[in-house]
Amino acid sequence: MELQTLAMKDATIVDDGTTERTSYPYVTGTSVIGMKYKEGVIMAADTGGSYGSTLRYKSVERIKPIGKHSLLGASGEISDFQEILRYLDELILYDNMWDDGNSLGPKEVHNYLTRVMYNRRNKFDPLWNSLVLGGVKNGQKYLGMVSMNGTHFEDNHVATGFGNHLARPILRAEWHEDLSFEEAVKLMEKCLLVLLYRDRSAINKFQVAKITEEGVTISQPYALKTYWGFSAFQNPSKGAVGSW
Amino acid sequence: MSSIGTGYDLSVTTFSPDGRVFQIEYAAKAVDNSGTVIGIKCKDGIVLGVEKLISSKMMLPGSNRRIHAVHRHSGMAVAGLAADGRQIVARAKSEAASYERVYGEAIPVKELADRVASYVHLCTLYWWLRPFGCGIILGGYDREGPQLYMIEPSGISYRYFGAAIGKGRQAAKTEIEKLKLSEMTCREGVIEVAKIIYAVHDEAKDKAFELEMSWVCDESNHQHQKVPDDLLEQAKAAAKAALEEMDAD
């Protein structure tokens, strides 16, 4: 009921009586973090799909390989992510059918996604996602982001949603060129841990994906160790004044 | 069987008194005058081969592809008017993509053949359209295994285990019938197709030709692709050697 009235509020009604299509996210994924390292690009996301404040789906894969050279991670509406994967599947299919030894690299896929997102935004019918696109082609590493309004950029490390506020400051301080894979995973897990503690839609089940010239590897979901034994958490009602 | 259909051959919507539609038969002649195209169904896949007649020495080898992928699992080789063929391939790709969008799985080869045949047939029903001047050999690998179809300009489509169209089709069909296809793998099939194309190529009438081959098989992971370069070279060498043996007799 509440979701429905909110959806009505988001509908745009144009003066000539027509309704533009609304877009309101229902099942959403939270942050995705990506960074370049020595051999390629590493990306991580948890496997949670929230339905408002309920953590409804706990095994949603939010990072997928695209063609031979790219990885796509998405936060936001999961059904829109699935639609984007369908578009990309057709794009890669047509690319493969040329059978001419060439294939679309991460830069091209990033540009395609930017066009799709921006054009949808102009029609007031956005795909409600923030996308992270990373890949390696011919030794060149590439990492970029596209948001639901079509804003896009490239950087050495990117994040979506809460990741921008909690993970990127850590990355700005501790990321450097030519991280080894182990160092990159350690840095990634540091960021994921902060998100786990502080983002209410994050769950303790992560997938870490890497892409190098050789190919893509997406890890099985795993959990991080958390610590809740801080002294301030003991006796939570110690300082609270009761009413009776 | 060739007769002049004076008066009854001006439009594809006219039957002759003996029940023939001459325009379609003339379209088939365009196919018969093109380079040979062969397809065979081996026990683990399909092999397609084309005798690409080179009209000019200045053409870049590897250009002017005659075999096109239609989806991940299937491809078609075209004989006859190349521009007509491009149109049919484009339509087939579009049918395959739309089937996948609706049903979520790759189009079964039988369904694809049906749709392409319907499209080709469509263009024989209206006086303001002309029939396609090309024959198609379509090969694919789906849940039912490898399948080979041939589609003629009339819109007829049959399933084959070996098919040939173009100039050297009679000789090619005889050669294909000699092969034990059910026991052959695609690796062996590639060599055999190369041998047949080299054998039926008429050195006197047409000078140079380029051999183009593709396959869909277990080895290619059920994907349609050009035959790998090393195997192609092996096949060409074997074909040339077989030719020399025949000439030596």
Side-chain angles (χ1 to χ4, degrees), chain A residues 106-148:
Chain A
K107 191 175 188 330
E108 286 94 64
V109 178
H110 185 224
N111 198 65
Y112 174 80
L113 288 170
T114 308
R115 291 292 103 230
V116 170
M117 300 303 266
Y118 185 64
N119 275 295
R120 291 290 293 253
R121 167 255 195 180
N122 286 340
K123 293 195 280 199
F124 289 92
D125 183 21
L127 288 162
W128 207 285
N129 294 109
S130 284
L131 305 169
V132 173
L133 198 298
V136 190
K137 191 175 172 198
N138 294 335
Q140 295 274 52
K141 300 182 282 233
Y142 187 91
L143 180 60
M145 213 187 92
V146 194
S147 69
M148 67 187 252

Side-chain angles (χ1 to χ4, degrees), chain A residues 196-213:
Chain A
L196 179 58
Y197 282 129
R198 295 291 178 175
D199 179 2
R200 76 116 181 246
S201 6
I203 60 170
N204 197 359
K205 193 174 168 195
F206 302 98
Q207 279 187 305
V208 175
K210 77 173 194 330
I211 180 163
T212 62
E213 193 75 52

Side-chain angles (χ1 to χ4, degrees), chain B residues 38-241:
Chain B
I38 301 180
I40 56 171
K41 171 171 121 74
C42 307
K43 71 174 176 194
D44 64 337
I46 305 278
V47 179
L48 299 172
V50 177
E51 172 203 17
K52 261 196 309 196
L53 298 168
I54 301 179
S55 47
S56 154
K57 286 213 179 79
M58 290 189 275
M59 261 173 61
L60 206 62
S63 71
N64 198 27
R65 293 281 297 266
R66 295 275 293 279
I67 307 182
H68 303 94
V70 168
H71 201 61
R72 273 175 279 265
H73 61 14
S74 48
M76 41 171 68
V78 175
L81 299 174
D84 286 11
R86 248 203 315 273
Q87 180 77 334
I88 298 185
V89 170
R91 178 74 186 211
K93 284 183 179 173
S94 147
E95 293 281 2
S98 113
Y99 185 97
E100 179 150 30
R101 240 177 278 133
V102 173
Y103 298 104
E105 70 154 13
I107 186 169
V109 190
K110 178 175 199 304
E111 181 67 30
L112 180 61
D114 265 356
R115 292 193 184 194
V116 174
S118 298
Y119 182 61
V120 172
H121 178 237
L122 185 80
C123 299
T124 65
L125 294 173
Y126 302 100
W127 61 265
W128 35 268
L129 280 179
R130 68 164 173 78
F132 282 108
C134 37
I136 313 268
I137 297 189
L138 163 68
Y141 203 135
D142 62 19
R143 280 197 254 180
E144 329 262 285
Q147 291 155 69
L148 185 70
Y149 289 88
M150 183 164 92
I151 300 148
E152 297 172 22
S154 55
I156 293 178
S157 141
Y158 286 129
R159 190 170 161 183
Y160 294 89
F161 52 80
I165 41 180
K167 280 196 189 108
R169 69 186 175 289
Q170 300 290 28
K173 277 190 227 174
T174 324
E175 291 302 312
I176 295 176
E177 281 169 25
K178 291 186 197 157
L179 301 172
K180 286 209 175 62
L181 291 171
S182 51
E183 296 162 11
M184 207 184 276
T185 63
C186 276
R187 272 222 153 224
E188 297 160 353
V190 167
I191 316 274
E192 293 304 323
V193 168
K195 282 193 198 158
I196 296 176
I197 293 191
Y198 269 77
V200 305
H201 173 67
D202 193 337
E203 275 299 326
K205 289 213 200 113
D206 316 301
K207 277 110 202 204
F209 80 101
E210 198 190 322
L211 176 63
E212 189 179 321
M213 287 212 280
S214 78
W215 65 0
V216 200
C217 58
D218 292 340
E219 215 184 300
S220 78
N221 222 347
H222 301 189
Q223 311 275 17
H224 177 265
Q225 49 179 227
K226 272 197 306 217
V227 165
D229 286 332
D230 53 335
L231 182 56
L232 189 60
E233 290 310 311
Q234 219 187 318
K236 285 189 192 167
K240 289 191 193 126

Side-chain angles (χ1 to χ4, degrees), chain A residues 89-90 93-94 97-99, chain B residues 65 69-71 101 225-226:
Chain A
D89 198 45
E90 250 187 68
L93 173 68
Y94 276 99
M97 288 205 282
W98 284 107
D99 200 4
Chain B
R65 293 281 297 266
V70 168
H71 201 61
R101 240 177 278 133
Q225 49 179 227
K226 272 197 306 217

